[in-house]
Amino acid sequence: MYEMCYNLSDNFNLNLASVMSFILCYNIFKEATNLNFASVISGQLANLFQRRGEVNPNELIKALEREVAKQKTKDRLVPNSYTIYLCEEDCYRLSAARLIKALHEAVERKVIRENCFMDGELSVKIKKMSDGDNAIVIESAYVDEVNQEVDTINLENDVLSQTLIQNSGGKDTDDTIIADKTKIIKTMRISPTRKIEYNLAVISDFKTAEVICGEKQIYLGRKETNDFVLDDDGASRIHAYISYERHRHILHDAGSLNGTLVNKKPISSCELKDGDKILIGNTTLTYKVL
């Protein structure tokens, strides 16, 4: 070490004592902090790539399902409004209507799997995070009335500005189409709302028939106009029906002659749980969440 200090002092015309003091302080600092520059650089690069990693749809669904389970109360109630905050890039990329539908279905199915209930209409929104972080942040709340106008992505975001050429009042000589953002927003808002059908569960005999359960009422029995037709002499013409109440499928016996059993117990009505066995006449049906 002394020889190295002497060479530095001689070559750069530096004070020998100053050089020795600097190198001594550096060695003490390095040993005290156990500094490994290669590890530090590798760690910083890893963090950089991790922060810039894109959020995929499956991550959103899993995060939303965890939020539902976390918010479940002792009375088996969960919130009906969920707002997902993403960074600007992920927000624009993941705000497609198809994904919003999948997020709705994920919440509805999780409610059934957790054997809980939800009051009011379900709302799932994706919004841009203000601080630009790449994390997934979800806020949940109990809402009496859901604002359908913003129940997907805010239409008045920068995506519209980037994809439409604003009318600046200038004269264009080419064939570029000039779009008025204000008029397009107004048109979007007055468009009629289309009811989305959700596929949440299936009733099946694992042999010949099955029916998908969503939000509409489903009838089971021997009558040919039923949603699930049973070729079973032990079943009544309209034996039972399934309603959708508080975001759960409720099985009702329709005053049948031989009754309806769920997991070998006679019922007049009961909320169905994932894997329940329904006995109608001599036919066993299984209720399975998708």
PDB file of all heavy atoms in Angstrom, residues 136-171:
ATOM      1  N   ILE A 136     -49.606  -2.748  -8.917  1.00  0.00           N
ATOM      2  CA  ILE A 136     -51.056  -2.847  -9.064  1.00  0.00           C
ATOM      3  C   ILE A 136     -51.681  -2.420  -7.742  1.00  0.00           C
ATOM      4  O   ILE A 136     -51.445  -3.039  -6.712  1.00  0.00           O
ATOM      5  CB  ILE A 136     -51.480  -4.286  -9.413  1.00  0.00           C
ATOM      6  CG1 ILE A 136     -50.825  -4.752 -10.713  1.00  0.00           C
ATOM      7  CG2 ILE A 136     -52.995  -4.385  -9.519  1.00  0.00           C
ATOM      8  CD1 ILE A 136     -51.066  -6.218 -11.017  1.00  0.00           C
ATOM      9  N   VAL A 137     -52.458  -1.371  -7.779  1.00  0.00           N
ATOM     10  CA  VAL A 137     -53.136  -0.879  -6.574  1.00  0.00           C
ATOM     11  C   VAL A 137     -54.639  -1.002  -6.791  1.00  0.00           C
ATOM     12  O   VAL A 137     -55.168  -0.530  -7.801  1.00  0.00           O
ATOM     13  CB  VAL A 137     -52.756   0.584  -6.269  1.00  0.00           C
ATOM     14  CG1 VAL A 137     -53.530   1.092  -5.056  1.00  0.00           C
ATOM     15  CG2 VAL A 137     -51.260   0.712  -6.040  1.00  0.00           C
ATOM     16  N   ILE A 138     -55.330  -1.642  -5.849  1.00  0.00           N
ATOM     17  CA  ILE A 138     -56.770  -1.848  -5.970  1.00  0.00           C
ATOM     18  C   ILE A 138     -57.467  -1.222  -4.772  1.00  0.00           C
ATOM     19  O   ILE A 138     -57.105  -1.480  -3.625  1.00  0.00           O
ATOM     20  CB  ILE A 138     -57.123  -3.349  -6.054  1.00  0.00           C
ATOM     21  CG1 ILE A 138     -56.446  -3.987  -7.273  1.00  0.00           C
ATOM     22  CG2 ILE A 138     -58.637  -3.537  -6.132  1.00  0.00           C
ATOM     23  CD1 ILE A 138     -56.692  -5.474  -7.399  1.00  0.00           C
ATOM     24  N   GLU A 139     -58.462  -0.399  -5.045  1.00  0.00           N
ATOM     25  CA  GLU A 139     -59.299   0.192  -4.007  1.00  0.00           C
ATOM     26  C   GLU A 139     -60.706  -0.378  -4.143  1.00  0.00           C
ATOM     27  O   GLU A 139     -61.270  -0.400  -5.237  1.00  0.00           O
ATOM     28  CB  GLU A 139     -59.333   1.717  -4.128  1.00  0.00           C
ATOM     29  CG  GLU A 139     -58.009   2.387  -3.812  1.00  0.00           C
ATOM     30  CD  GLU A 139     -58.097   3.899  -3.885  1.00  0.00           C
ATOM     31  OE1 GLU A 139     -59.194   4.410  -4.224  1.00  0.00           O
ATOM     32  OE2 GLU A 139     -57.088   4.570  -3.612  1.00  0.00           O
ATOM     33  N   SER A 140     -61.264  -0.838  -3.033  1.00  0.00           N
ATOM     34  CA  SER A 140     -62.611  -1.411  -3.040  1.00  0.00           C
ATOM     35  C   SER A 140     -63.523  -0.594  -2.137  1.00  0.00           C
ATOM     36  O   SER A 140     -63.068   0.045  -1.184  1.00  0.00           O
ATOM     37  CB  SER A 140     -62.580  -2.868  -2.573  1.00  0.00           C
ATOM     38  OG  SER A 140     -61.962  -2.977  -1.303  1.00  0.00           O
ATOM     39  N   ALA A 141     -64.815  -0.607  -2.454  1.00  0.00           N
ATOM     40  CA  ALA A 141     -65.766   0.188  -1.686  1.00  0.00           C
ATOM     41  C   ALA A 141     -67.171  -0.389  -1.854  1.00  0.00           C
ATOM     42  O   ALA A 141     -67.452  -1.123  -2.807  1.00  0.00           O
ATOM     43  CB  ALA A 141     -65.733   1.649  -2.140  1.00  0.00           C
ATOM     44  N   TYR A 142     -68.034  -0.019  -0.906  1.00  0.00           N
ATOM     45  CA  TYR A 142     -69.449  -0.366  -0.992  1.00  0.00           C
ATOM     46  C   TYR A 142     -70.177   0.841  -1.597  1.00  0.00           C
ATOM     47  O   TYR A 142     -70.157   1.929  -1.032  1.00  0.00           O
ATOM     48  CB  TYR A 142     -70.018  -0.693   0.385  1.00  0.00           C
ATOM     49  CG  TYR A 142     -69.417  -1.933   1.013  1.00  0.00           C
ATOM     50  CD1 TYR A 142     -68.272  -1.847   1.801  1.00  0.00           C
ATOM     51  CD2 TYR A 142     -69.989  -3.183   0.813  1.00  0.00           C
ATOM     52  CE1 TYR A 142     -67.716  -2.973   2.378  1.00  0.00           C
ATOM     53  CE2 TYR A 142     -69.439  -4.328   1.388  1.00  0.00           C
ATOM     54  CZ  TYR A 142     -68.303  -4.208   2.163  1.00  0.00           C
ATOM     55  OH  TYR A 142     -67.754  -5.338   2.728  1.00  0.00           O
ATOM     56  N   VAL A 143     -70.802   0.630  -2.747  1.00  0.00           N
ATOM     57  CA  VAL A 143     -71.440   1.723  -3.469  1.00  0.00           C
ATOM     58  C   VAL A 143     -72.912   1.384  -3.687  1.00  0.00           C
ATOM     59  O   VAL A 143     -73.253   0.269  -4.105  1.00  0.00           O
ATOM     60  CB  VAL A 143     -70.739   1.974  -4.825  1.00  0.00           C
ATOM     61  CG1 VAL A 143     -71.432   3.088  -5.580  1.00  0.00           C
ATOM     62  CG2 VAL A 143     -69.272   2.311  -4.599  1.00  0.00           C
ATOM     63  N   ASP A 144     -73.789   2.364  -3.417  1.00  0.00           N
ATOM     64  CA  ASP A 144     -75.227   2.136  -3.597  1.00  0.00           C
ATOM     65  C   ASP A 144     -75.615   2.139  -5.067  1.00  0.00           C
ATOM     66  O   ASP A 144     -76.363   1.290  -5.533  1.00  0.00           O
ATOM     67  CB  ASP A 144     -76.025   3.209  -2.856  1.00  0.00           C
ATOM     68  CG  ASP A 144     -75.883   3.072  -1.339  1.00  0.00           C
ATOM     69  OD1 ASP A 144     -75.638   1.951  -0.872  1.00  0.00           O
ATOM     70  OD2 ASP A 144     -75.996   4.094  -0.638  1.00  0.00           O
ATOM     71  N   GLU A 145     -75.091   3.119  -5.811  1.00  0.00           N
ATOM     72  CA  GLU A 145     -75.401   3.218  -7.229  1.00  0.00           C
ATOM     73  C   GLU A 145     -74.107   3.262  -8.017  1.00  0.00           C
ATOM     74  O   GLU A 145     -73.206   4.039  -7.713  1.00  0.00           O
ATOM     75  CB  GLU A 145     -76.229   4.475  -7.521  1.00  0.00           C
ATOM     76  CG  GLU A 145     -77.609   4.441  -6.898  1.00  0.00           C
ATOM     77  CD  GLU A 145     -78.424   5.650  -7.281  1.00  0.00           C
ATOM     78  OE1 GLU A 145     -77.952   6.430  -8.127  1.00  0.00           O
ATOM     79  OE2 GLU A 145     -79.538   5.811  -6.746  1.00  0.00           O
ATOM     80  N   VAL A 146     -74.033   2.426  -9.038  1.00  0.00           N
ATOM     81  CA  VAL A 146     -72.832   2.357  -9.881  1.00  0.00           C
ATOM     82  C   VAL A 146     -73.005   3.265 -11.079  1.00  0.00           C
ATOM     83  O   VAL A 146     -74.034   3.219 -11.766  1.00  0.00           O
ATOM     84  CB  VAL A 146     -72.577   0.909 -10.349  1.00  0.00           C
ATOM     85  CG1 VAL A 146     -71.434   0.866 -11.348  1.00  0.00           C
ATOM     86  CG2 VAL A 146     -72.271   0.013  -9.149  1.00  0.00           C
ATOM     87  N   ASN A 147     -72.002   4.091 -11.331  1.00  0.00           N
ATOM     88  CA  ASN A 147     -72.016   4.973 -12.503  1.00  0.00           C
ATOM     89  C   ASN A 147     -71.547   4.192 -13.719  1.00  0.00           C
ATOM     90  O   ASN A 147     -70.367   3.974 -13.908  1.00  0.00           O
ATOM     91  CB  ASN A 147     -71.106   6.178 -12.257  1.00  0.00           C
ATOM     92  CG  ASN A 147     -71.196   7.202 -13.374  1.00  0.00           C
ATOM     93  OD1 ASN A 147     -71.845   6.973 -14.387  1.00  0.00           O
ATOM     94  ND2 ASN A 147     -70.543   8.331 -13.180  1.00  0.00           N
ATOM     95  N   GLN A 148     -72.472   3.766 -14.559  1.00  0.00           N
ATOM     96  CA  GLN A 148     -72.128   2.941 -15.713  1.00  0.00           C
ATOM     97  C   GLN A 148     -71.294   3.684 -16.747  1.00  0.00           C
ATOM     98  O   GLN A 148     -70.599   3.101 -17.547  1.00  0.00           O
ATOM     99  CB  GLN A 148     -73.408   2.420 -16.377  1.00  0.00           C
ATOM    100  CG  GLN A 148     -74.147   1.389 -15.550  1.00  0.00           C
ATOM    101  CD  GLN A 148     -73.319   0.145 -15.331  1.00  0.00           C
ATOM    102  OE1 GLN A 148     -72.537  -0.272 -16.178  1.00  0.00           O
ATOM    103  NE2 GLN A 148     -73.477  -0.472 -14.176  1.00  0.00           N
ATOM    104  N   GLU A 149     -71.354   5.004 -16.728  1.00  0.00           N
ATOM    105  CA  GLU A 149     -70.659   5.789 -17.744  1.00  0.00           C
ATOM    106  C   GLU A 149     -69.150   5.588 -17.691  1.00  0.00           C
ATOM    107  O   GLU A 149     -68.461   5.666 -18.699  1.00  0.00           O
ATOM    108  CB  GLU A 149     -70.994   7.275 -17.547  1.00  0.00           C
ATOM    109  CG  GLU A 149     -70.375   8.177 -18.585  1.00  0.00           C
ATOM    110  CD  GLU A 149     -70.784   9.609 -18.371  1.00  0.00           C
ATOM    111  OE1 GLU A 149     -71.999   9.858 -18.273  1.00  0.00           O
ATOM    112  OE2 GLU A 149     -69.901  10.468 -18.298  1.00  0.00           O
ATOM    113  N   VAL A 150     -68.622   5.327 -16.494  1.00  0.00           N
ATOM    114  CA  VAL A 150     -67.172   5.193 -16.370  1.00  0.00           C
ATOM    115  C   VAL A 150     -66.807   3.814 -15.844  1.00  0.00           C
ATOM    116  O   VAL A 150     -65.820   3.632 -15.174  1.00  0.00           O
ATOM    117  CB  VAL A 150     -66.598   6.278 -15.432  1.00  0.00           C
ATOM    118  CG1 VAL A 150     -66.727   7.632 -16.072  1.00  0.00           C
ATOM    119  CG2 VAL A 150     -67.291   6.254 -14.062  1.00  0.00           C
ATOM    120  N   ASP A 151     -67.653   2.818 -16.133  1.00  0.00           N
ATOM    121  CA  ASP A 151     -67.414   1.497 -15.570  1.00  0.00           C
ATOM    122  C   ASP A 151     -66.482   0.656 -16.427  1.00  0.00           C
ATOM    123  O   ASP A 151     -66.604  -0.545 -16.502  1.00  0.00           O
ATOM    124  CB  ASP A 151     -68.742   0.754 -15.386  1.00  0.00           C
ATOM    125  CG  ASP A 151     -68.574  -0.479 -14.518  1.00  0.00           C
ATOM    126  OD1 ASP A 151     -67.595  -0.526 -13.769  1.00  0.00           O
ATOM    127  OD2 ASP A 151     -69.401  -1.394 -14.613  1.00  0.00           O
ATOM    128  N   THR A 152     -65.596   1.254 -17.125  1.00  0.00           N
ATOM    129  CA  THR A 152     -64.519   0.520 -17.794  1.00  0.00           C
ATOM    130  C   THR A 152     -63.293   1.400 -17.730  1.00  0.00           C
ATOM    131  O   THR A 152     -62.568   1.406 -16.765  1.00  0.00           O
ATOM    132  CB  THR A 152     -64.885   0.176 -19.264  1.00  0.00           C
ATOM    133  OG1 THR A 152     -65.358   1.352 -19.899  1.00  0.00           O
ATOM    134  CG2 THR A 152     -65.951  -0.883 -19.336  1.00  0.00           C
ATOM    135  N   ILE A 153     -63.073   2.159 -18.777  1.00  0.00           N
ATOM    136  CA  ILE A 153     -61.955   3.113 -18.786  1.00  0.00           C
ATOM    137  C   ILE A 153     -62.498   4.497 -19.071  1.00  0.00           C
ATOM    138  O   ILE A 153     -63.504   4.640 -19.757  1.00  0.00           O
ATOM    139  CB  ILE A 153     -60.913   2.729 -19.847  1.00  0.00           C
ATOM    140  CG1 ILE A 153     -59.712   3.680 -19.791  1.00  0.00           C
ATOM    141  CG2 ILE A 153     -61.499   2.720 -21.232  1.00  0.00           C
ATOM    142  CD1 ILE A 153     -58.588   3.268 -20.708  1.00  0.00           C
ATOM    143  N   ASN A 154     -61.876   5.487 -18.502  1.00  0.00           N
ATOM    144  CA  ASN A 154     -62.289   6.858 -18.772  1.00  0.00           C
ATOM    145  C   ASN A 154     -62.067   7.174 -20.248  1.00  0.00           C
ATOM    146  O   ASN A 154     -60.943   7.199 -20.725  1.00  0.00           O
ATOM    147  CB  ASN A 154     -61.470   7.808 -17.887  1.00  0.00           C
ATOM    148  CG  ASN A 154     -61.909   9.251 -18.075  1.00  0.00           C
ATOM    149  OD1 ASN A 154     -62.858   9.529 -18.806  1.00  0.00           O
ATOM    150  ND2 ASN A 154     -61.229  10.157 -17.413  1.00  0.00           N
ATOM    151  N   LEU A 155     -63.154   7.420 -20.970  1.00  0.00           N
ATOM    152  CA  LEU A 155     -63.055   7.646 -22.411  1.00  0.00           C
ATOM    153  C   LEU A 155     -62.297   8.923 -22.745  1.00  0.00           C
ATOM    154  O   LEU A 155     -61.754   9.066 -23.830  1.00  0.00           O
ATOM    155  CB  LEU A 155     -64.459   7.704 -23.019  1.00  0.00           C
ATOM    156  CG  LEU A 155     -65.265   6.406 -22.930  1.00  0.00           C
ATOM    157  CD1 LEU A 155     -66.660   6.642 -23.484  1.00  0.00           C
ATOM    158  CD2 LEU A 155     -64.579   5.295 -23.693  1.00  0.00           C
ATOM    159  N   GLU A 156     -62.263   9.868 -21.817  1.00  0.00           N
ATOM    160  CA  GLU A 156     -61.609  11.136 -22.075  1.00  0.00           C
ATOM    161  C   GLU A 156     -60.154  11.094 -21.612  1.00  0.00           C
ATOM    162  O   GLU A 156     -59.698  11.937 -20.865  1.00  0.00           O
ATOM    163  CB  GLU A 156     -62.355  12.260 -21.363  1.00  0.00           C
ATOM    164  CG  GLU A 156     -63.770  12.434 -21.866  1.00  0.00           C
ATOM    165  CD  GLU A 156     -64.438  13.610 -21.202  1.00  0.00           C
ATOM    166  OE1 GLU A 156     -63.914  14.731 -21.304  1.00  0.00           O
ATOM    167  OE2 GLU A 156     -65.469  13.411 -20.562  1.00  0.00           O
ATOM    168  N   ASN A 157     -59.422  10.059 -22.049  1.00  0.00           N
ATOM    169  CA  ASN A 157     -58.014   9.982 -21.652  1.00  0.00           C
ATOM    170  C   ASN A 157     -57.117  10.304 -22.835  1.00  0.00           C
ATOM    171  O   ASN A 157     -57.576  10.628 -23.918  1.00  0.00           O
ATOM    172  CB  ASN A 157     -57.693   8.587 -21.076  1.00  0.00           C
ATOM    173  CG  ASN A 157     -58.008   7.482 -22.057  1.00  0.00           C
ATOM    174  OD1 ASN A 157     -57.941   7.684 -23.256  1.00  0.00           O
ATOM    175  ND2 ASN A 157     -58.366   6.310 -21.558  1.00  0.00           N
ATOM    176  N   ASP A 158     -55.833  10.182 -22.599  1.00  0.00           N
ATOM    177  CA  ASP A 158     -54.883  10.599 -23.624  1.00  0.00           C
ATOM    178  C   ASP A 158     -54.839   9.657 -24.818  1.00  0.00           C
ATOM    179  O   ASP A 158     -54.298   9.998 -25.849  1.00  0.00           O
ATOM    180  CB  ASP A 158     -53.480  10.701 -23.007  1.00  0.00           C
ATOM    181  CG  ASP A 158     -53.407  11.811 -21.981  1.00  0.00           C
ATOM    182  OD1 ASP A 158     -54.226  12.735 -22.083  1.00  0.00           O
ATOM    183  OD2 ASP A 158     -52.550  11.744 -21.086  1.00  0.00           O
ATOM    184  N   VAL A 159     -55.388   8.448 -24.661  1.00  0.00           N
ATOM    185  CA  VAL A 159     -55.382   7.515 -25.791  1.00  0.00           C
ATOM    186  C   VAL A 159     -56.164   8.112 -26.951  1.00  0.00           C
ATOM    187  O   VAL A 159     -55.774   8.048 -28.104  1.00  0.00           O
ATOM    188  CB  VAL A 159     -56.000   6.165 -25.376  1.00  0.00           C
ATOM    189  CG1 VAL A 159     -56.078   5.234 -26.574  1.00  0.00           C
ATOM    190  CG2 VAL A 159     -55.155   5.528 -24.291  1.00  0.00           C
ATOM    191  N   LEU A 160     -57.309   8.711 -26.626  1.00  0.00           N
ATOM    192  CA  LEU A 160     -58.138   9.311 -27.660  1.00  0.00           C
ATOM    193  C   LEU A 160     -57.397  10.446 -28.347  1.00  0.00           C
ATOM    194  O   LEU A 160     -57.469  10.604 -29.560  1.00  0.00           O
ATOM    195  CB  LEU A 160     -59.434   9.822 -27.025  1.00  0.00           C
ATOM    196  CG  LEU A 160     -60.611  10.050 -27.977  1.00  0.00           C
ATOM    197  CD1 LEU A 160     -60.957   8.769 -28.707  1.00  0.00           C
ATOM    198  CD2 LEU A 160     -61.816  10.553 -27.211  1.00  0.00           C
ATOM    199  N   SER A 161     -56.665  11.226 -27.564  1.00  0.00           N
ATOM    200  CA  SER A 161     -55.913  12.338 -28.142  1.00  0.00           C
ATOM    201  C   SER A 161     -54.807  11.849 -29.065  1.00  0.00           C
ATOM    202  O   SER A 161     -54.483  12.467 -30.059  1.00  0.00           O
ATOM    203  CB  SER A 161     -55.306  13.179 -27.016  1.00  0.00           C
ATOM    204  OG  SER A 161     -56.320  13.694 -26.189  1.00  0.00           O
ATOM    205  N   GLN A 162     -54.216  10.689 -28.700  1.00  0.00           N
ATOM    206  CA  GLN A 162     -53.109  10.162 -29.495  1.00  0.00           C
ATOM    207  C   GLN A 162     -53.579   9.492 -30.774  1.00  0.00           C
ATOM    208  O   GLN A 162     -52.852   9.445 -31.767  1.00  0.00           O
ATOM    209  CB  GLN A 162     -52.308   9.159 -28.667  1.00  0.00           C
ATOM    210  CG  GLN A 162     -51.588   9.818 -27.485  1.00  0.00           C
ATOM    211  CD  GLN A 162     -51.083   8.801 -26.506  1.00  0.00           C
ATOM    212  OE1 GLN A 162     -51.201   7.610 -26.735  1.00  0.00           O
ATOM    213  NE2 GLN A 162     -50.505   9.258 -25.421  1.00  0.00           N
ATOM    214  N   THR A 163     -54.802   8.979 -30.784  1.00  0.00           N
ATOM    215  CA  THR A 163     -55.275   8.228 -31.947  1.00  0.00           C
ATOM    216  C   THR A 163     -56.121   9.067 -32.890  1.00  0.00           C
ATOM    217  O   THR A 163     -56.410   8.638 -34.000  1.00  0.00           O
ATOM    218  CB  THR A 163     -56.101   7.018 -31.490  1.00  0.00           C
ATOM    219  OG1 THR A 163     -57.146   7.468 -30.622  1.00  0.00           O
ATOM    220  CG2 THR A 163     -55.246   6.028 -30.737  1.00  0.00           C
ATOM    221  N   LEU A 164     -56.546  10.252 -32.440  1.00  0.00           N
ATOM    222  CA  LEU A 164     -57.342  11.129 -33.288  1.00  0.00           C
ATOM    223  C   LEU A 164     -56.563  12.402 -33.577  1.00  0.00           C
ATOM    224  O   LEU A 164     -55.860  12.918 -32.728  1.00  0.00           O
ATOM    225  CB  LEU A 164     -58.668  11.487 -32.600  1.00  0.00           C
ATOM    226  CG  LEU A 164     -59.596  10.310 -32.272  1.00  0.00           C
ATOM    227  CD1 LEU A 164     -60.823  10.832 -31.561  1.00  0.00           C
ATOM    228  CD2 LEU A 164     -59.989   9.577 -33.539  1.00  0.00           C
ATOM    229  N   ILE A 165     -56.704  12.909 -34.775  1.00  0.00           N
ATOM    230  CA  ILE A 165     -56.065  14.176 -35.133  1.00  0.00           C
ATOM    231  C   ILE A 165     -57.032  15.308 -34.821  1.00  0.00           C
ATOM    232  O   ILE A 165     -58.139  15.347 -35.345  1.00  0.00           O
ATOM    233  CB  ILE A 165     -55.696  14.190 -36.625  1.00  0.00           C
ATOM    234  CG1 ILE A 165     -54.765  13.012 -36.933  1.00  0.00           C
ATOM    235  CG2 ILE A 165     -55.070  15.512 -37.022  1.00  0.00           C
ATOM    236  CD1 ILE A 165     -54.465  12.879 -38.400  1.00  0.00           C
ATOM    237  N   GLN A 166     -56.621  16.194 -33.941  1.00  0.00           N
ATOM    238  CA  GLN A 166     -57.507  17.269 -33.520  1.00  0.00           C
ATOM    239  C   GLN A 166     -57.676  18.313 -34.632  1.00  0.00           C
ATOM    240  O   GLN A 166     -56.745  18.615 -35.377  1.00  0.00           O
ATOM    241  CB  GLN A 166     -56.930  17.941 -32.265  1.00  0.00           C
ATOM    242  CG  GLN A 166     -56.807  16.984 -31.086  1.00  0.00           C
ATOM    243  CD  GLN A 166     -58.162  16.391 -30.716  1.00  0.00           C
ATOM    244  OE1 GLN A 166     -59.104  17.124 -30.469  1.00  0.00           O
ATOM    245  NE2 GLN A 166     -58.250  15.075 -30.701  1.00  0.00           N
ATOM    246  N   ASN A 167     -58.890  18.845 -34.715  1.00  0.00           N
ATOM    247  CA  ASN A 167     -59.185  19.856 -35.709  1.00  0.00           C
ATOM    248  C   ASN A 167     -58.644  21.200 -35.229  1.00  0.00           C
ATOM    249  O   ASN A 167     -59.198  21.831 -34.343  1.00  0.00           O
ATOM    250  CB  ASN A 167     -60.713  19.945 -35.906  1.00  0.00           C
ATOM    251  CG  ASN A 167     -61.060  20.805 -37.104  1.00  0.00           C
ATOM    252  OD1 ASN A 167     -60.204  21.481 -37.659  1.00  0.00           O
ATOM    253  ND2 ASN A 167     -62.324  20.754 -37.496  1.00  0.00           N
ATOM    254  N   SER A 168     -57.525  21.631 -35.798  1.00  0.00           N
ATOM    255  CA  SER A 168     -56.876  22.863 -35.357  1.00  0.00           C
ATOM    256  C   SER A 168     -57.306  24.075 -36.166  1.00  0.00           C
ATOM    257  O   SER A 168     -56.831  25.182 -35.947  1.00  0.00           O
ATOM    258  CB  SER A 168     -55.351  22.698 -35.467  1.00  0.00           C
ATOM    259  OG  SER A 168     -54.995  22.419 -36.811  1.00  0.00           O
ATOM    260  N   GLY A 169     -58.193  23.855 -37.130  1.00  0.00           N
ATOM    261  CA  GLY A 169     -58.672  24.975 -37.929  1.00  0.00           C
ATOM    262  C   GLY A 169     -57.832  25.238 -39.167  1.00  0.00           C
ATOM    263  O   GLY A 169     -58.126  26.118 -39.957  1.00  0.00           O
ATOM    264  N   GLY A 170     -56.752  24.469 -39.329  1.00  0.00           N
ATOM    265  CA  GLY A 170     -55.881  24.661 -40.481  1.00  0.00           C
ATOM    266  C   GLY A 170     -56.424  23.960 -41.702  1.00  0.00           C
ATOM    267  O   GLY A 170     -57.350  23.168 -41.643  1.00  0.00           O
ATOM    268  N   LYS A 171     -55.831  24.232 -42.855  1.00  0.00           N
ATOM    269  CA  LYS A 171     -56.251  23.603 -44.099  1.00  0.00           C
ATOM    270  C   LYS A 171     -55.303  22.480 -44.440  1.00  0.00           C
ATOM    271  O   LYS A 171     -54.095  22.656 -44.483  1.00  0.00           O
ATOM    272  CB  LYS A 171     -56.279  24.634 -45.228  1.00  0.00           C
ATOM    273  CG  LYS A 171     -57.322  25.740 -45.018  1.00  0.00           C
ATOM    274  CD  LYS A 171     -57.329  26.696 -46.189  1.00  0.00           C
ATOM    275  CE  LYS A 171     -58.380  27.787 -45.991  1.00  0.00           C
ATOM    276  NZ  LYS A 171     -58.396  28.735 -47.132  1.00  0.00           N
TER     277      LYS A 171
END
